[in-house]
């Protein structure tokens, strides 16, 4: 399938036709691809991702404000954080086959970039940013509400979030009388798009690794993976 046909199918899946197809192409272009284009400047999707992240937060926050009039600020923040988490975004992005449409550098493609949660989540935010630039808030709002409607309903039904760190601590302390530690392995990306990688350790041994846009999110993901190993 050629590039234009791939983009046309994506437009059909998301329910939006671009006036400026350059914005759509940019939203699917990873910086590894841009860096491998000698002699010419090719825009990548980080700026659109930055914009899409803000638009997504606004629309989801408004939807939650209307749908959950009895919830306080803390509970609304909890639901929003779950709905726009990297894991949630990647799941929705896979439903649109965003990974298959990404323009990646050769090294990133060889390392499995098309199936990386972080790249798919970033591309979805960039796509939403591109739709906002092309059609404005009133065009992107119903698309976001449609894509995220089910995750919002699912998360809102629960009275509290899943606290994997507390569950892991209870498990280890109950069985061994000791709590896990969390170690920052590295942080990457510019300040507004920081991503953290954190390792959960028990008695000096790695038991789970997680990535996230905040240290807390990365710790939760590391704890979740540790629980999966312990339960497996």
């Amino acid at each position: 399938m050629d590039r234009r046909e791939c983009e046309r199918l994506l437009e059909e899946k998301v329910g939006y036709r671009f006036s400026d197809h350059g914005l759509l192409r940019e939203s699917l272009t990873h910086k590894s691809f841009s860096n491998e284009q000698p002699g010419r400047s090719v825009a990548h999707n980080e700026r659109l991702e930055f914009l899409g992240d803000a638009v997504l937060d606004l629309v989801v926050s408004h939807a939650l404000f209307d749908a959950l009039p009895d919830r306080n600020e803390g509970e609304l923040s909890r639901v929003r954080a779950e709905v726009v988490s990297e894991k949630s975004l990647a799941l929705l992005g896979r439903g649109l086959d965003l990974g298959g449409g990404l323009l990646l550098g050769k090294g990133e493609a060889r390392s499995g970039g098309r199936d990386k949660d972080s790249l798919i989540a970033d591309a979805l935010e960039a796509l939403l940013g591109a739709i906002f630039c092309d059609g404005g808030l009133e065009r992107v709002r119903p698309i976001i509400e449609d894509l995220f409607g089910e995750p919002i309903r699912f998360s809102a039904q629960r009275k509290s979030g899943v606290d994997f760190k507390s569950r892991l601590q209870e498990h280890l302390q109950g069985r061994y009388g000791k709590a896990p530690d969390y170690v920052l392995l590295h942080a990457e990306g510019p300040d507004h798009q920081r991503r953290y990688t954190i390792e959960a350790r028990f008695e000096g041994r790695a038991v789970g690794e997680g990535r996230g846009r905040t240290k807390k999110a990365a710790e939760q993901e590391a704890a979740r993976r540790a629980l999966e190993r312990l339960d497996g």
Side-chain angles (χ1 to χ4, degrees):
M1 186 185 303
D2 64 24
R3 167 57 46 180
R4 186 65 194 98
E5 179 65 13
C6 178
E7 292 171 358
R8 187 189 65 78
L9 288 175
L10 178 57
E11 287 179 312
E12 287 185 3
K13 289 178 182 177
V14 80
Y16 181 80
R17 292 286 186 184
F18 278 85
S19 297
D20 181 357
H21 283 90
L23 285 168
L24 175 57
R25 181 73 55 89
E26 183 178 337
S27 75
L28 298 172
T29 303
H30 187 254
K31 64 181 177 182
S32 63
F33 180 87
S34 299
N35 292 339
E36 292 182 4
Q37 307 307 307
R40 64 191 185 104
S41 177
V42 176
H44 56 75
N45 64 9
E46 286 188 353
R47 283 172 53 84
L48 286 174
E49 177 201 341
F50 168 73
L51 180 61
D53 176 66
V55 173
L56 179 59
D57 269 358
L58 172 63
V59 174
V60 169
S61 296
H62 192 198
L64 293 174
F65 183 84
D66 285 346
L68 304 173
D70 59 330
R71 305 291 180 92
N72 61 31
E73 178 190 1
E75 186 66 5
L76 292 174
S77 296
R78 190 273 301 172
V79 175
R80 182 181 63 191
E82 291 183 8
V83 168
V84 302
S85 68
E86 182 177 280
K87 183 179 179 181
S88 176
L89 290 170
L91 182 63
L92 293 171
R94 286 190 176 92
L96 297 172
D97 192 26
L98 281 183
L102 288 175
L103 286 168
L104 301 175
K106 294 177 182 178
E108 190 66 63
R110 282 195 300 267
S111 68
R114 296 190 187 283
D115 197 43
K116 288 182 180 177
D117 280 1
S118 58
L119 268 62
I120 296 172
D122 291 349
L124 179 55
E125 288 185 329
L127 176 62
L128 296 175
I131 295 172
F132 174 80
C133 287
D134 195 67
L137 182 61
E138 293 312 308
R139 295 299 303 275
V140 74
R141 183 194 301 275
I143 293 170
I144 293 174
E145 291 173 343
D146 182 57
L147 277 173
F148 290 84
E150 186 59 32
I152 287 174
R153 286 188 290 273
F154 176 79
S155 187
Q157 286 173 355
R158 295 190 316 207
K159 293 299 183 184
S160 60
V162 178
D163 188 350
F164 295 110
K165 286 184 65 179
S166 294
R167 285 173 52 187
L168 180 61
Q169 182 165 327
E170 289 171 2
H171 178 94
L172 294 175
Q173 283 190 324
R175 180 171 294 186
Y176 305 106
K178 297 180 181 179
D181 297 312
Y182 294 89
V183 179
L184 176 65
L185 297 182
H186 56 82
E188 56 189 352
D191 289 344
H192 67 277
Q193 292 174 317
R194 209 73 166 159
R195 292 191 183 278
Y196 300 89
T197 301
I198 287 179
E199 190 172 72
R201 295 180 182 175
F202 183 68
E203 295 186 329
R205 180 172 57 91
V207 292
E209 183 178 304
R211 299 181 73 245
R213 301 182 184 203
T214 65
K215 290 180 181 178
K216 288 184 178 180
E219 288 173 352
Q220 286 286 345
E221 178 64 11
R224 184 185 71 79
R225 291 180 179 274
L227 285 165
E228 285 180 350
R229 290 181 61 181
L230 292 170
D231 292 338

